[in-house]
Amino acid sequence: MLLGMICALGSAVCFGTASVLQAVAARATAPGSGSGVDTVLLMRVLRQWRYLVGLALDGLGFALELVALRSLPIYAVGAALAASLAVTAVVASRVLRVRLSGVEWAAVGVVCGGLAMLGLSSGAEGDETGSLALRLGTLCVAAGVLGLGALAGQLPGRARAAALGLGAGIGFGVVEVAVRLVDDVSPGALVTNPAAYAVLLGGGAAFLLLTSALQRGSVTAATAGMVIGETLGPALVGVIWLGDRTRPGMAPLAVAGFVLAVLGALALARFGEAPAADVGERPTGSSSSAGRA
């Protein structure tokens, strides 16, 4: 349990720091095709060193997330990952000199308090391995994320950003659930397990949508959608179908901690992206600085 919570928090630190680096790189890159599933944009940001360092941190964070998901309920891990926005806010305030208001510092405290409550009340992960229908369902949802991204790319302004962020959050949530459904990592079992493909498809689709959402559109709307998508659905799946529970008599404390951590993260949604203007970069091929949406 303790190791799982340490890994979950370590994962949040990695993801939160990576967000600053990746968002700066995304805003310093010329627009791609304009689609919600924008592979052109992804190829361009991969030329930015900050984005590559962010990807390395994402890889480390994902490894820590895998360890956490093997010993903690999904709701605890999901709340910890949403709390990466608190890390992003603190990193942005120190590295990029972004000013945090008193309310935002209070939100950081609320996130930390919510996670502490979850740490005290969380039980061990559920012992259910999930049905074949659930495994197939995660793969279908992962494929649906790509479809949602394609449709979201046609929406205007804030609606586009919110839809892309929600789609990215659902993709990351699919990964959280699918990892729990991969109980045998031998090559033969992986090839025949739909959840293994859901991990790859859901994670890849989420990165595509999130990169497009950060590159243009309302950052607050995109990040809020992502937080909701990656926490609520997976938490319900864990409780209803995978047997996740709290310690005896501590369900109210766990619910309160989860709600506080998510609400605190939503209050910090603007830190889903750090402005490229803060590091003095201009988008490649553009004559104007990329400011905050």
Side-chain angles (χ1 to χ4, degrees):
M1 288 287 294
L2 178 59
L3 176 61
M5 184 56 72
I6 291 173
C7 288
L9 295 177
S11 181
V13 170
C14 290
F15 289 145
T17 305
S19 293
V20 175
L21 298 172
Q22 291 169 338
V24 169
R27 278 303 176 97
T29 304
S33 66
S35 168
V37 185
D38 197 341
T39 55
V40 174
L41 174 61
L42 184 61
M43 293 304 296
R44 287 178 178 172
V45 295
L46 285 174
R47 301 172 188 171
Q48 298 274 347
W49 69 266
R50 289 184 180 86
Y51 198 86
L52 294 177
V53 173
L55 283 180
L57 286 172
D58 280 332
L60 177 58
F62 181 64
L64 293 172
E65 179 187 352
L66 291 180
V67 176
L69 284 168
R70 291 300 181 183
S71 58
L72 289 177
I74 293 177
Y75 63 78
V77 178
L81 296 182
S84 65
L85 284 173
V87 176
T88 300
V90 173
V91 171
S93 71
R94 294 290 183 259
V95 176
L96 302 177
R97 302 290 187 264
V98 176
R99 184 179 179 84
L100 271 69
S101 67
V103 172
E104 287 167 338
W105 278 117
V108 172
V110 167
V111 168
C112 294
L115 290 178
M117 294 164 68
L118 276 173
L120 290 172
S121 59
S122 295
E125 65 167 342
D127 55 5
E128 301 293 331
T129 58
S131 64
L132 177 60
L134 182 58
R135 296 166 196 260
L136 290 171
T138 59
L139 182 57
C140 291
V141 173
V145 169
L146 287 174
L148 175 59
L151 293 174
Q154 309 303 314
L155 298 174
R158 194 176 185 88
R160 177 182 186 274
L164 286 173
L166 179 63
I170 293 173
F172 290 131
V174 165
V175 173
E176 294 174 29
V177 174
V179 165
R180 282 280 299 275
L181 300 176
V182 179
D183 52 350
D184 186 347
V185 295
S186 63
L190 287 176
V191 169
T192 59
N193 189 343
Y197 299 100
V199 171
L200 299 176
L201 183 58
F207 268 114
L208 282 173
L209 269 62
L210 183 58
T211 300
S212 185
L214 291 179
Q215 211 275 338
R216 46 184 165 172
S218 169
V219 174
T220 301
T223 309
M226 184 185 69
V227 169
I228 292 171
E230 73 177 347
T231 54
L232 299 185
L236 290 174
V237 172
V239 170
I240 296 173
W241 284 292
L242 298 179
D244 288 347
R245 295 293 182 268
T246 65
R247 293 183 180 181
M250 289 192 173
L253 184 64
V255 171
F258 180 84
V259 171
L260 286 176
V262 172
L263 290 179
L266 289 174
L268 296 167
R270 78 180 180 97
F271 291 99
E273 177 221 28
D278 287 340
V279 292
E281 294 196 12
R282 295 175 182 271
T284 303
S286 173
S287 59
S288 62
S289 296
R292 188 185 304 277

